[in-house]
Amino acid sequence: MVAALPDHAGMLVLEPRMQTCLRPPATIERTSPMELGDPARIEDARTRAKRLLALWQEERRVEDLRAAVDALRESISTTADPTTRVASRADLGAALQIMYEVEGESGETAVGYLDEAITTTQIVIEDLPEGKERRRQFANLANALRARHDATTDAQSVLDGVAAARRSLSPDDPATVTSERASNLALLLRARFLRFGALDDIDEAVDLLGKAAPAARPESRHLIVSNLADTLALRGYR
């Protein structure tokens, strides 16, 4: 286990998914051949990844995101520094979730990004101590698992997603953060209700959404209210 990451150790944070949250490899500079573990190569991979992620966030070019994914994989495989490895893995997990959204129409390829995002985020969680960064990664994991369930109808994904979403919650987090994470838990519970029919799940989903709406950010409150209305209607039908 490594020390807790600084609040913005990674470039990408991801998280809110409610509705879903929220780049063929580009031509990128190649370093001269070096042995794995060479400090100059390690620094170059991480630095290149950060530059490409910044380009993606600014210009939304898919080729930049794809190249960043390659650079993050290289950073993870070459660095001997555990903090750098965790930061690169956290960015990779988030970038792969975005790749899934970008490639959403490409079937197995898109789900492959999602599967790698889930595995990568699980490793990040194992390497972090308890705290807000670990909770953030549980939130990202829950969102990826819900997306996988939506794409594949895999039952285990929704079960694991509920468990991860619960681990993302803490009274220590700001009310707006808790609101978004509770809303995502509610949608996972709703999906589990539709899959297995447990009335406790739909009741809890309604309760969570009802409490999440007043504390939500203005830009996301309408989504939570809409989801609450849909969930109440679903409970009424059953």
Side-chain angles (χ1 to χ4, degrees), residues 204-227:
E204 185 180 1
V206 167
D207 184 59
L208 286 166
L209 290 166
K211 292 175 179 175
R217 303 175 206 271
E219 60 269 26
S220 60
R221 186 173 295 123
H222 71 288
L223 289 174
I224 296 175
V225 171
S226 177
N227 284 327

Side-chain angles (χ1 to χ4, degrees), residues 23-219:
R23 288 168 178 195
T27 302
I28 54 179
E29 313 91 275
R30 297 295 178 185
T31 56
S32 57
M34 300 179 186
E35 294 298 320
L36 293 185
D38 184 291
R41 181 182 177 87
I42 294 166
E43 181 182 11
D44 182 76
R46 179 66 185 161
T47 300
R48 181 164 15 107
K50 290 169 70 175
R51 175 174 57 79
L52 289 161
L53 289 174
L55 283 171
W56 154 255
Q57 292 175 318
E58 181 179 345
E59 300 181 16
R60 289 298 193 263
R61 289 197 306 256
V62 176
E63 60 268 24
D64 291 331
L65 183 60
R66 287 191 174 131
V69 165
D70 288 342
L72 289 165
R73 287 172 176 149
E74 180 182 343
S75 175
I76 292 164
S77 67
T78 56
T79 185
D81 176 58
T83 301
T84 299
R85 189 182 302 116
V86 172
S88 291
R89 275 208 176 101
D91 280 343
L92 179 60
L96 288 164
Q97 282 202 58
I98 298 170
M99 282 298 303
Y100 167 73
E101 301 292 344
V102 170
E103 302 281 5
E105 300 301 318
S106 61
E108 289 185 8
T109 299
V111 173
Y113 287 124
L114 208 48
D115 287 342
E116 187 180 353
I118 289 166
T119 300
T120 299
T121 307
Q122 287 170 332
I123 295 171
V124 173
I125 288 168
E126 290 173 2
D127 286 340
L128 287 172
E130 292 295 337
K132 69 177 182 179
E133 181 60 34
R134 197 166 194 253
R135 292 192 297 274
R136 178 181 292 140
Q137 294 305 321
F138 270 118
N140 285 342
L141 177 60
N143 287 340
L145 287 162
R146 179 159 71 92
R148 190 180 193 283
H149 175 262
D150 291 347
T152 67
T153 69
D154 174 60
Q156 192 61 48
S157 293
V158 75
L159 296 174
D160 292 344
V162 168
R166 291 196 191 282
R167 296 289 299 274
S168 75
L169 295 172
S170 169
D172 295 334
D173 290 319
T176 52
V177 171
T178 298
S179 169
E180 290 165 352
R181 293 179 185 173
S183 177
N184 286 327
L185 171 57
L187 295 181
L188 279 156
L189 287 165
R190 190 172 79 180
R192 193 169 73 175
F193 166 75
L194 289 169
R195 189 64 184 262
F196 299 106
L199 292 176
D200 286 350
D201 282 346
I202 198 70
D203 287 342
E204 185 180 1
V206 167
D207 184 59
L208 286 166
L209 290 166
K211 292 175 179 175
R217 303 175 206 271
E219 60 269 26

